[in-house]
């Protein structure tokens, strides 16, 4: 039995063995502190790559959708997290319209039943959703343009995101003046927004009903009504308490604010994912290749939106206080890790190597938490069981009477939420730029190819391998490698870093076409 | 047996061929006459086209040459993805090898057009064989990733500082001088226009013939169900390899014309974005339809050109929006959807004519 398993996985074991040997010999040429730093950095890159790769692989496995917009969702998470963290006033201002919009969309199931019971004559039925959609969009755009929103301005340097980031990291952040409504009264705008969102929901429902011939009368559940009412109320309350809430958020310490940023970015990612799946991707399950075009279109649109709102230049996101201390108690003489963590130092010493608490320790920790959390979700819950079964054969699961379509939406939403979480976690360490999405999507693809495309442990292992490889090559680019036939140490130039990970992927795939952990198709 | 066919039979055969290809032939004729037409509209005489005078006609010829080159490139991608069903993310390499090889041969080695063309074709075969090496080993999306790997390695070599003397690294290959005066795009534009146009037409006809040939039929069978094709006794590997070689040579030729027309080769043509461009072109036109690739290339370039001209910085956003809308409302690409809905469209036209009292 054992021998048979060994024989079956011979190539896999040999590859793993060679990797271990390479790893050990790669670390031989370095001092311990370099080694520790490189390994920690590699693991941190791996953790972020894993967050992108895990969602991508779940979506690919369950629905066979190659979500090329996944990197942009990662980027969006970072930018939304930055907004909540650095400009809470903008966040509070923007929350009300968003909540009203969400409330309107929540009404969709109720409206579906209501409209379904009142069939309109043929022509009207065909045309009104379009008119409704146009009217709703016009109403929403009109109301949103006048909505009082205190915001940065990427075109002016003194008001650009980079300036606000700098002010925050230096502790000179002032509460910007609250935006004043021009034109219509904000309460009237609130009503317009509510009306517009409801009309939008009705128009979207109407579009869906167009194609149906038979009138269905499904069970009318009250919960969407209650939820929508709650959301709308929350929106109105936040609007009424706007100034107080903003002032409170500004007084909050940065660590708590950062926690809020993480929660908001993840939640927005989840909602966005659900919305994209249920409206755009769902009609495309029958023609898979066109999903690529759709997700590419979404990714272009997202990048351009981010450029329009936050500007093209890169900027940083300050680290929360808990990981930013440099003053008293953080000097070279304090060695104890516990003491340094208690003093909220930015760095700790591990085997004499200087490790940054946020960039390495915190990110790796969060990666591990998500790894275990999603693993528990997949292994220990009913939903996880359905997902795992669906990855193997979703038609079979559907045949067993399980609503796979709803699970599709959930998984897409989960995947995008994970990517957004990765984005907001990565932002303080690598900064925010328009290209970060594509960069990490490529890394995640490589990681998945190495680990096995639809395997969850594969995503983790591949991400860690890619992260380590990348960081070791970068380190050797600085140190130089002593190759036997060269007089001077060989220093790989910066472009060789992506090449090395890609080559590594090609070699692994040629040896193991299904990756390290993939199943045979 | 061939000799026993009477001459009248050959005539009938030619007539049939002509009738079958009426559409493409009409298109070819229209495109040959197009520059003259534009020149007339502009108030220039028809001789302006032949004398290479500055004006709209000359400018539009340049734009059309770009579209033809893109069309050749898109056709080559349609052959392996749409017809044979091989998803490759490394197709940009096929094009970029042709483009860079041409540029380097002209600029650094001072080769003539003939040897360069030969080298481009050989390079096309060699890189198809390189992809063929991994073909039996990896399938589906893994093949796409491995080819992406190859293309990335090529892109990195092209961009690396070690090769700067030949490739110009990040800046790209600049100042390529085409050694043949008769192929010069600024002095002999109409001639180049005709050459590229006829080459596009030729490639299209060859591809149509290939798809209708027994080999092409097996390629389609491989796309639909590889296991079943193997069951029937076909060694699908050779068919896929044939398609790859044909596609690679075509794409490299597109790269050759690209360098001849625009004496600058940017490293962008070696990147993943360029493969994605080909993918978008055939998806917009209609995957697996061949003529869709031509339509898609035209839509792709014209959208890009005119949206950038009219909206400047917002162009990319609008292009993204157009992609999403196309996916939603033109579900199988322009040609694909037209083929699927031909009857509906015909019925609609009849009704319109009846409404206008043009037909009883």
């Amino acid at each position: 039995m054992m021998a048979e398993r060994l024989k079956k996985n011979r190539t896999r074991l040999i590859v793993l063995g060679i990797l271990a040997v390479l790893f050990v010999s790669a670390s031989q040429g370095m001092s311990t502190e370099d080694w520790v730093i490189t390994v920690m950095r590699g693991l941190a890159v791996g953790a972020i790559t894993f967050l992108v790769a895990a969602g991508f692989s779940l979506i690919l496995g369950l629905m066979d959708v190659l979500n090329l917009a996944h990197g942009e969702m990662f980027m969006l998470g970072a930018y939304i997290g930055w907004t909540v963290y650095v400009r809470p006033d903008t966040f509070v201002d923007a929350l009300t319209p968003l909540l009203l919009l969400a409330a309107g969309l929540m009404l969709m199931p109720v409206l579906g039943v209501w409209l379904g019971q009142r069939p309109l004559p043929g022509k009207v039925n065909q045309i009104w959703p379009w008119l409704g959609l146009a009217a709703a969009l016009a109403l929403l755009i009109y109301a949103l343009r006048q909505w009082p929103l205190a915001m940065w301005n990427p075109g002016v340097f003194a008001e650009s995101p980079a300036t606000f980031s700098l002010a925050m990291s230096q502790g000179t952040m002032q509460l910007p003046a609250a935006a004043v409504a021009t034109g219509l009264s904000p309460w009237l705008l609130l009503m317009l927004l509510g009306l517009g969102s409801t009309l939008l929901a009705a128009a979207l429902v109407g579009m869906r009903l167009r194609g149906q011939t038979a009138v269905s009368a499904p069970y009318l559940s009250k919960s969407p009504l209650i939820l929508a009412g709650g959301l709308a109320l929350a929106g109105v309350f936040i609007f009424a308490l706007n100034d107080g809430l903003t002032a409170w958020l500004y007084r909050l310490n940065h660590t708590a604010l950062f926690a809020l940023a993480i929660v908001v970015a993840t939640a927005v990612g989840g909602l966005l994912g659900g919305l994209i799946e249920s409206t755009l991707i769902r009609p495309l399950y029958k023609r898979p290749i066109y999903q690529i075009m759709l997700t590419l279109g979404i990714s272009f649109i997202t990048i351009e939106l981010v450029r329009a709102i936050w500007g093209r230049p890169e900027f940083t996101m300050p680290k929360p206080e808990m990981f930013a201390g440099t003053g008293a108690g953080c000097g070279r003489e304090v060695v104890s890790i516990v003491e340094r963590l208690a003093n909220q130092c930015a760095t700790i010493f591990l085997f004499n190597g200087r490790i940054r608490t946020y960039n390495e320790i915190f990110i790796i920790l969060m990666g591990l938490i998500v790894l275990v959390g999603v693993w528990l979700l997949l292994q220990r819950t009913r939903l996880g069981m359905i997902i795992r079964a669906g990855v193997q054969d979703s038609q079979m699961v559907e045949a067993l009477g399980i609503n796979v379509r709803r699970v599709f939406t959930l998984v897409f939403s989960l995947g995008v939420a994970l990517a957004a979480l990765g984005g907001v976690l990565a932002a303080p360490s690598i900064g925010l730029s328009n290209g970060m999405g594509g960069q990490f999507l490529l890394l995640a693809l490589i990681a998945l190819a190495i680990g096995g495309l639809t395997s969850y442990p594969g995503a983790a292992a591949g991400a860690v391998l890619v992260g380590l490889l990348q960081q070791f090559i970068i380190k050797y680019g600085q140190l130089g490698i002593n190759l036997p036939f060269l007089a001077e140490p060989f220093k790989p130039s910066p472009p060789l870093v992506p090449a090395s990970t890609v080559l590594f992927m090609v070699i692994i795939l040629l040896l193991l076409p299904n990756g390290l952990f993939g199943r045979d198709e | 047996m061939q000799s026993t066919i009477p001459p009248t039979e050959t005539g009938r055969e030619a007539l049939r061929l002509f009738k079958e290809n009426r559409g493409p032939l009409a298109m070819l004729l229209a495109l040959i006459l197009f520059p003259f037409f534009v020149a007339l509209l502009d108030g220039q005489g028809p001789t302006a086209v032949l004398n290479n005078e500055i004006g709209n006609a000359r400018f539009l010829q340049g734009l059309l040459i770009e579209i033809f080159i893109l069309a050749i490139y898109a056709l080559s991608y349609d052959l392996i993805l749409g017809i044979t069903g091989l998803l490759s993310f490394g197709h940009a390499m096929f094009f970029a090898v042709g483009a860079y090889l041409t540029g380097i041969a002209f600029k650094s080695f001072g080769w003539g057009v003939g040897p360069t063309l030969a080298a481009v074709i050989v390079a096309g075969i060699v890189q198809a064989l390189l992809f063929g090496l991994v073909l039996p080993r990896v399938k589906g999306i893994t093949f796409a990733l491995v080819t992406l790997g190859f293309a990335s390695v090529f892109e990195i070599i092209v961009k690396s500082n070690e090769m700067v003397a030949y490739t110009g690294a990040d800046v790209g290959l600049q100042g390529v001088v085409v050694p043949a005066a008769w192929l010069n795009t600024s002095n002999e534009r109409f001639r180049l226009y005709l050459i590229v146009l006829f080459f596009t037409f030729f490639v299209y006809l060859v591809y149509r013939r290939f798809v209708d040939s027994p080999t092409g039929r097996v390629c389609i069978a491989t796309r639909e169900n590889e296991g079943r094709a193997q069951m029937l006794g076909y060694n699908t590997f050779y068919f896929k390899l044939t398609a790859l070689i044909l596609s690679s040579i075509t794409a490299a030729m597109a790269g050759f014309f690209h360098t001849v027309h625009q004496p600058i080769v940017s490293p962008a043509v070696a990147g993943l974005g360029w493969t994605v461009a080909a993918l978008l072109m055939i998806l917009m036109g209609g995957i697996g339809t061949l003529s869709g690739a031509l339509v898609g290339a035209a839509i792709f370039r014209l959208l890009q050109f005119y949206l950038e001209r009219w909206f400047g910085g917002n162009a990319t956003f609008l292009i993204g929006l157009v992609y999403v809308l196309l996916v939603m409302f033109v579900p199988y690409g322009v040609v694909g959807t037209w083929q699927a809905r031909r009857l509906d469209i015909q019925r609609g036209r009849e009704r319109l004519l009846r409404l206008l009292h043009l037909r009883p």
Side-chain angles (χ1 to χ4, degrees):
Chain A
M1 186 67 192
M2 193 66 201
E4 198 173 300
R5 276 182 86 165
L6 275 178
K7 204 172 173 190
K8 227 174 160 183
N9 291 319
R10 196 171 40 196
T11 332
R12 195 160 299 175
L13 289 171
I14 292 172
V15 169
L16 282 174
I18 292 173
L19 282 181
V21 170
L22 276 179
F23 180 69
V24 170
S25 58
S27 345
Q28 283 299 310
M30 294 189 180
S31 59
T32 320
E33 56 179 274
D34 277 347
W35 185 82
V36 169
I37 292 175
T38 314
V39 168
M40 291 303 271
R41 284 191 185 165
L43 288 178
V45 173
I48 294 174
T49 311
F50 166 72
L51 288 176
V52 182
F56 190 90
S57 114
L58 279 178
I59 293 171
L60 180 68
L62 187 62
M63 306 164 233
D64 288 327
V65 173
L66 203 60
N67 181 17
L68 295 181
H70 212 70
E72 274 57 51
M73 299 294 129
F74 168 81
M75 175 183 73
L76 205 60
Y79 277 89
I80 288 171
W82 177 87
T83 309
V84 176
Y85 184 55
V86 179
R87 288 298 301 267
D89 57 325
T90 312
F91 164 62
V92 174
D93 284 351
L95 203 53
T96 306
L98 289 179
L99 280 175
L100 285 177
L101 202 63
L105 293 179
M106 277 293 161
L107 287 175
M108 276 174 73
V110 180
L111 283 170
V113 175
W114 194 77
L115 288 170
Q117 286 164 351
R118 284 162 188 73
L120 295 158
K123 283 283 172 230
V124 183
N125 208 13
Q126 294 292 319
I127 295 167
W128 83 262
W130 291 103
L131 294 178
L133 190 66
L137 287 180
L139 209 58
L140 283 175
I141 289 172
Y142 175 74
L144 282 176
R145 285 188 82 94
Q146 299 199 8
W147 186 254
L149 183 71
M151 221 176 91
W152 57 90
N153 179 358
V156 182
F157 180 70
E159 294 173 37
S160 68
T163 313
F164 285 108
S165 284
L166 192 69
M168 187 170 186
S169 62
Q170 290 172 343
T172 56
M173 190 74 173
Q174 298 280 322
L175 177 59
V180 187
T182 51
L184 291 179
S185 141
W187 292 100
L188 196 62
L189 287 178
L190 261 182
M191 277 160 52
L192 284 184
L193 280 174
L195 193 68
S197 330
T198 317
L199 198 55
L200 182 70
L204 288 178
V205 167
M207 295 245 178
R208 197 182 295 162
L209 288 179
R210 249 176 351 145
Q212 294 175 2
T213 43
V215 180
S216 57
Y219 164 69
L220 179 62
S221 121
K222 290 273 185 311
S223 56
L225 267 180
I226 298 168
L227 204 59
L231 283 174
L233 261 183
V236 174
F237 264 117
I238 285 172
F239 177 69
L241 300 174
N242 189 319
D243 293 339
L245 202 59
T246 309
W248 180 70
L249 282 177
Y250 264 92
R251 279 200 307 275
L252 217 59
N253 78 39
H254 290 177
T255 312
L257 204 54
F258 187 66
L260 182 68
I262 292 180
V263 172
V264 171
T266 315
V268 170
L271 286 177
L272 198 64
L275 206 63
I276 290 176
E277 198 278 339
S278 56
T279 55
L280 294 174
I281 297 192
R282 196 173 286 173
L284 299 186
Y285 286 125
K286 277 183 226 139
R287 38 196 178 108
I289 197 83
Y290 282 87
Q291 293 156 358
I292 295 181
M293 183 160 155
L294 179 83
T295 52
L296 269 176
I298 296 175
S299 110
F300 287 169
I301 289 177
T302 315
I303 291 182
E304 287 308 309
L305 275 181
V306 164
R307 278 180 182 164
I309 298 176
W310 284 275
R312 278 165 186 266
E314 293 182 23
F315 52 92
T316 56
M317 179 160 158
K319 281 170 194 154
E321 280 152 5
M322 208 174 145
F323 310 104
T326 47
C330 292
R332 186 81 210 191
E333 70 286 349
V334 186
V335 188
S336 150
I337 294 175
V338 177
E339 202 176 320
R340 288 184 77 89
L341 283 179
N343 288 345
Q344 305 195 331
C345 294
T347 57
I348 59 167
F349 291 103
L350 203 65
F351 298 104
N352 262 339
R354 191 189 278 271
I355 309 279
R356 287 163 295 182
T357 44
Y358 183 88
N359 286 21
E360 277 93 43
I361 311 267
F362 180 67
I363 287 182
I364 294 174
L365 209 63
M366 287 302 284
L368 278 178
I369 290 173
V370 173
L371 175 71
V372 175
V374 177
W375 186 78
L376 285 178
L377 174 80
L378 287 176
Q379 298 291 328
R380 292 274 183 271
T381 63
R382 188 181 145 75
L383 176 68
M385 207 158 75
I386 297 173
I387 294 173
R388 278 184 294 138
V391 168
Q392 291 211 340
D393 190 341
S394 65
Q395 278 179 333
M396 194 64 210
V397 178
E398 206 165 7
L400 290 174
I402 290 161
N403 187 350
V404 173
R405 288 299 158 100
R406 208 162 67 202
V407 181
F408 280 7
T409 313
L410 272 176
V411 167
F412 205 91
S413 150
L414 173 72
V416 174
L418 284 180
L421 173 65
V424 63
L425 286 177
S429 108
I430 59 169
L432 296 106
S433 69
N434 302 152
M436 65 196 284
Q439 194 185 329
F440 270 90
L441 180 65
L442 198 63
L443 220 53
L445 263 179
I446 295 172
L448 283 178
I450 292 172
L453 278 173
T454 57
S455 134
Y456 183 70
V464 167
L465 273 176
V466 165
L468 282 176
L469 182 75
Q470 192 204 42
Q471 291 302 317
F472 266 98
I473 296 278
I474 289 178
K475 193 73 202 169
Y476 272 114
Q478 295 159 359
L479 295 176
I481 309 172
N482 288 308
L483 287 179
F485 301 106
L486 293 175
E488 281 185 23
F490 171 68
K491 291 191 177 183
S493 59
L496 281 178
V497 177
S500 62
T501 46
V502 164
L503 266 182
F504 183 58
M505 172 189 87
V506 170
I507 293 168
I508 293 271
L509 281 182
L510 290 181
L511 290 172
L512 300 164
N514 294 314
L516 285 172
F517 292 86
R519 287 175 299 112
D520 284 332
E521 295 290 324
Chain B
M1 280 293 171
Q2 208 68 18
S3 57
T4 55
I5 297 170
T8 48
E9 199 75 356
T10 335
R12 215 171 289 158
E13 181 74 0
L15 197 67
R16 191 184 61 82
L17 265 177
F18 173 75
K19 266 188 180 162
E20 264 179 11
N21 294 313
R22 238 179 344 193
L25 280 172
M27 194 70 204
L28 180 72
L29 195 66
L31 280 170
I32 293 173
L33 295 178
F34 178 75
F36 295 99
F37 181 66
V38 174
L40 278 178
L41 276 186
D42 258 16
Q44 297 168 314
T47 47
V49 175
L50 301 174
N51 296 338
N52 198 31
E53 279 172 31
I54 308 273
N56 256 339
R58 188 179 133 86
F59 168 75
L60 283 177
Q61 280 176 53
L63 191 62
L64 278 172
I65 292 177
E66 282 173 33
I67 291 177
F68 297 154
I69 293 168
L70 285 178
I72 301 170
Y73 175 53
L75 267 177
S76 72
Y77 197 51
D78 204 17
L79 183 69
I80 57 168
L81 178 60
I83 305 294
T84 320
L86 277 175
L87 181 60
S88 152
F89 281 162
H91 202 69
M93 186 174 107
F94 287 174
F95 182 90
V97 163
Y100 268 102
L101 192 64
T102 312
I104 293 171
F106 286 165
K107 192 183 167 190
S108 305
F109 301 149
W111 288 6
V113 173
T116 307
L117 256 180
V120 164
I121 290 171
V122 170
I125 296 173
V126 168
Q127 54 187 333
L129 291 177
L130 175 71
F131 277 31
L133 275 183
V134 301
L135 202 51
R137 192 95 184 105
V138 287
K139 301 226 152 45
I141 206 134
T142 318
F143 178 73
L145 288 172
V146 172
T147 50
L148 171 66
F150 286 147
S152 303
V153 170
F154 176 74
E155 184 193 2
I156 287 156
I157 291 173
V158 158
K159 280 186 175 178
S160 70
N161 285 326
E162 284 80 4
M163 299 288 285
V164 71
Y166 293 107
T167 62
D170 276 338
V171 189
L173 200 59
Q174 302 208 334
V176 179
V177 181
V178 180
W182 53 273
L183 209 58
N184 193 313
T185 182
S186 40
N187 301 330
E188 298 283 353
R189 176 146 308 171
F190 188 59
R191 182 178 287 151
L192 185 65
Y193 176 82
L194 287 185
I195 291 175
V196 182
L197 172 60
F198 276 110
F199 184 70
T200 313
F201 188 65
F202 171 72
V203 169
Y204 174 68
L205 288 187
V206 168
Y207 274 32
R208 279 262 305 266
R209 184 70 190 86
F210 177 79
V211 171
D212 287 339
S213 73
T215 316
R217 293 284 154 202
V218 179
C219 285
I220 293 175
T222 312
R223 175 191 73 192
E224 292 299 324
N225 192 335
E226 183 162 4
R228 206 175 286 175
Q230 280 168 340
M231 261 289 292
L232 291 173
Y234 294 108
N235 188 346
T236 51
F237 169 72
Y238 290 111
F239 291 93
K240 289 196 277 188
L241 190 63
T242 312
L244 256 180
I245 290 175
L246 187 55
S247 161
S248 165
I249 293 175
T250 322
M253 285 297 293
F256 168 81
F257 282 119
H258 175 81
T259 309
V260 168
H261 177 55
Q262 286 169 330
I264 295 171
V265 187
S266 132
V269 299
L272 178 59
W274 199 242
T275 306
V276 168
L279 182 63
L280 286 172
M281 283 184 254
I282 63 172
L283 286 180
M284 278 193 281
I287 192 161
T289 55
L290 291 187
S291 47
L294 309 178
V295 175
I299 299 178
F300 180 82
R301 184 72 190 114
L302 292 176
L303 257 185
Q304 208 179 31
F305 182 79
Y306 283 104
L307 285 182
E308 250 164 46
R309 183 181 244 195
W310 293 331
F311 299 101
N314 296 328
T316 320
F317 175 79
L318 291 170
I319 290 173
L321 204 62
V322 169
Y323 292 158
V324 172
L325 292 177
L326 274 176
V327 170
M328 289 168 73
F329 298 110
V330 192
Y332 299 98
V334 176
V335 175
T337 310
W338 184 74
Q339 283 176 351
R341 304 221 173 121
R342 196 165 0 187
L343 283 176
D344 287 349
I345 294 171
Q346 230 164 37
R347 215 174 299 147
R349 201 179 57 193
E350 302 260 313
R351 214 170 64 190
L352 187 73
L353 289 176
R354 238 174 290 138
L355 274 178
L356 295 171
H357 298 286
L358 291 174
R359 190 173 286 187

